[in-house]
Amino acid sequence: MKYKAIIFDLDGVICHTDHYHYLAWKQLADKLGVYFDETINNRLRGVSRMESLEIILERLDGRVLTKEEKVELAEEKNERYKELLKKMSPQDLSQEVKDTLDFLRTQGLKLAIGSSSKNARLILSQIGLENFFDAISDGNNITMSKPHPEVFLKAAEYLGIEPKDCMVVEDAKAGIEAATVVGMDSGAIGDACGYQLATYDLPKFSSILCFA
Ligand code: BG6
Ligand code: MG
């Protein structure tokens, strides 16, 4: 294999929580009377909860919110989001993703999560992958979210693998940028597909097998 480890983003790569993020933000935006759509939602991919809120509030005309009000709004969104996550089960892990992960493991690759989400462990447990990965780096162990590379550097450190021997799989342009600045190759899937900074385009999850 070309790499010693693969670091996977979670939301929008391993499972489709990205849609639940959209629904929860949409409800909050509607309540605030702020325009929000899928295109704006794409800017939130890989970005922390508070930074995502700031992007949504760009369209809040005139009103200035205090730090406390913003924290409250972010918590409100997170409660809605966690309600949606309750609906998830191992059936939300596609056979393609599962088979690809299992095959990569048989090839001796280390597999890690590199996600900006503070809910990563909850999601992994909902889909039955709580004990699958060799390392989990998420929103709880970083101070700067993507495009800063901290989350991927921590994943590599937890695995004990050099960044140059890791490949990152991402649906966020911010995540591809994060991998690039620390010399990690990257595979772009979904919304990030076609991004020129990515090392590979992945038309589907199992396309990883052509490049790993
Ligand atoms: C990332 C998502 O995985 O996690 C972002 O792509 C999200 O859209 C971020 O804002 C933080 O998620 P959470 O679960 O901590 O609110
Ligand atoms: Mg993502």
Side-chain angles (χ1 to χ4, degrees), residues 172-173 176-177 180 186-188 191-201:
K173 289 179 182 161
I176 300 289
E177 289 160 16
T180 307
S186 59
D191 188 62
C193 229
Y195 191 35
Q196 73 275 15
L197 282 183
T199 319
Y200 315 109
D201 256 347

Side-chain angles (χ1 to χ4, degrees), residues 9-13 45-46 170-172:
D9 173 49
L10 179 62
D11 296 319
V13 171
R45 289 178 192 274
E170 260 293 351
D171 72 318

Side-chain angles (χ1 to χ4, degrees), residues 9-11 21 25 44-49 52 77-78 81 115-120 123 146 171:
D9 173 49
L10 179 62
D11 296 319
H21 274 297
W25 283 125
L44 314 183
R45 289 178 192 274
V47 170
S48 75
R49 197 181 305 162
S52 297
K77 179 266 172 178
N78 195 45
Y81 178 58
S115 164
S116 305
S117 173
K118 293 187 171 170
N119 294 300
I123 295 161
K146 303 163 189 175
D171 72 318

